[in-house]
Amino acid sequence: TDEFQHAAHGVIVPLLSTVDDARSLVKAAKFPPAGQRGFGSPFAMDKFDGVTQTEYLQQANESLLTIVQIETQDALNNVEEIARVPGIDVLFCGPFDLGNNIGHPILDGTMHEELKEAVVKIQRVAKENRKASGIYATSGDQAREYADQGFQMISVATDAALLPAAMHSALTSARGSYVHSALNMAKGAIRGK
């Protein structure tokens, strides 16, 4: 795919479901002999200071990170087989999508016991297969809990969550306190503005 032709050094693939999907991903992501990735543009390789194209290709597969998201019932059912695919580096749990797909959505921040068990299973299978485990967290505190449980790759938050919160905080500071804003609005109303 185009992403790989531009020298991507990592890819995270959502909604992967089967061992065949995992094998196809590795073929696309890795250079021969591990995969079938094309050499693509040599200009991207030039971004690595002091490394020739030949040297790059000799070490590239070791540095290319291939991450699969386990976030469907099918993927959960097949996680052992997916984890055994050479070239898959990280099993990443998307708990919100996984919860929805197994019939136990996260409601009010609470995980159903079956979803918790699925998260534990994904991490256990990753460890048993010498893969890294990853997970999406909704806060720094939750990320710390996952780190303490042994997850190595943790998405602490998304830009879609952080940017609105940061903008709200900045605008609140810029406007002053609610009381200050209310007083200024009242003064304006009294003056007829």
Side-chain angles (χ1 to χ4, degrees):
T1 63
D2 286 341
E3 293 79 10
F4 296 119
Q5 298 305 322
H6 297 291
H9 274 264
V11 62
I12 183 165
V13 177
L15 301 172
L16 185 128
S17 296
T18 68
V19 69
D20 288 336
D21 292 343
R23 286 185 187 122
S24 294
L25 171 60
V26 171
K27 282 183 181 179
K30 305 287 184 178
F31 292 104
Q36 297 176 336
R37 178 175 173 177
F39 185 66
S41 170
F43 301 110
M45 308 322 166
D46 292 338
K47 302 298 182 217
F48 300 95
D49 292 331
V51 177
T52 67
Q53 291 175 7
T54 300
E55 292 168 333
Y56 172 81
L57 287 173
Q58 289 172 337
Q59 58 81 39
N61 283 342
E62 293 301 315
S63 66
L64 299 171
L65 196 59
T66 307
I67 306 162
V68 295
Q69 287 186 243
I70 307 298
E71 54 187 353
T72 66
Q73 183 68 61
D74 287 341
L76 185 62
N77 293 344
N78 296 315
V79 70
E80 289 91 353
E81 292 82 16
I82 291 168
R84 286 194 287 267
V85 173
I88 297 295
D89 301 303
V90 182
L91 300 181
F92 190 92
C93 177
F96 286 91
D97 286 333
L98 182 59
N100 291 340
N101 277 280
I102 66 171
H104 299 293
I106 296 174
L107 301 173
D108 297 322
T110 303
M111 278 193 196
H112 187 275
E113 194 59 37
E114 190 174 324
L115 178 55
K116 289 179 185 178
E117 291 170 10
V119 170
V120 168
K121 177 182 180 179
I122 293 165
Q123 185 188 26
R124 176 185 50 79
V125 168
K127 187 173 184 179
E128 289 172 356
N129 288 276
R130 295 189 171 138
K131 310 289 182 177
S133 59
I135 193 163
Y136 172 77
T138 57
S139 69
D141 290 336
Q142 188 180 51
R144 169 54 56 203
E145 288 175 25
Y146 287 139
D148 290 345
Q149 293 169 19
F151 283 91
Q152 295 100 344
M153 180 182 170
I154 303 164
S155 176
V156 177
T158 65
D159 55 351
L162 291 178
L163 289 175
M167 287 301 297
H168 176 75
S169 176
L171 288 172
T172 299
S173 293
R175 289 183 185 131
S177 71
Y178 177 75
V179 172
H180 179 75
S181 295
L183 287 172
N184 284 336
M185 287 175 35
K187 287 178 188 177
I190 291 170
R191 290 185 200 137
K193 294 182 179 178

